[in-house]
Amino acid sequence: MSIIMIDNASSNDVAVTFFKKKLKIMGGLVMDGKYFHVRCCAHILNLVINNGLRDVHNSIPTIRNVVRFVRSSSHRLGLKST
């Protein structure tokens, strides 16, 4: 049994297709290559979460600054501003 480890880059799809064709010709595929290329679920989940957090990432410092401003405002403290 041979193992080829690759990441999830789309350019690897070309290499996987090439190897799959060659192995099929040589009769070296189990189940006709149905499970020859299985993507890593953890990696895909990581990509999805990071993509979602990218949109939220810029909002977090803004929200923190608003909370800091409200906490330190003179109106909140019950002081009159000059």
Side-chain angles (χ1 to χ4, degrees):
M1 175 186 258
S2 297
I3 296 173
I4 301 170
M5 293 186 71
I6 57 175
D7 62 8
N8 281 348
S10 59
S11 60
N12 291 328
D13 292 339
V14 175
V16 167
T17 303
F18 172 80
F19 284 121
K20 192 173 175 180
K21 285 179 185 177
K22 291 294 182 183
L23 289 171
K24 188 172 187 171
I25 291 169
M26 297 185 322
L29 285 178
V30 176
M31 296 181 68
D32 200 33
K34 184 176 180 181
Y35 300 107
F36 182 73
H37 185 206
V38 179
R39 296 193 183 271
C40 175
C41 292
H43 182 72
I44 293 171
L45 184 61
N46 184 36
L47 292 173
V48 170
I49 290 172
N50 280 326
N51 190 27
L53 288 177
R54 189 176 310 134
D55 297 335
V56 177
H57 177 69
N58 294 331
S59 301
I60 293 172
T62 304
I63 293 169
R64 285 182 180 158
N65 287 335
V66 169
V67 169
R68 192 176 296 123
F69 174 78
V70 169
R71 282 185 174 173
S72 65
S73 71
S74 59
H75 290 290
R76 183 179 178 277
L77 297 173
L79 305 174
K80 290 186 177 179
S81 59
T82 56

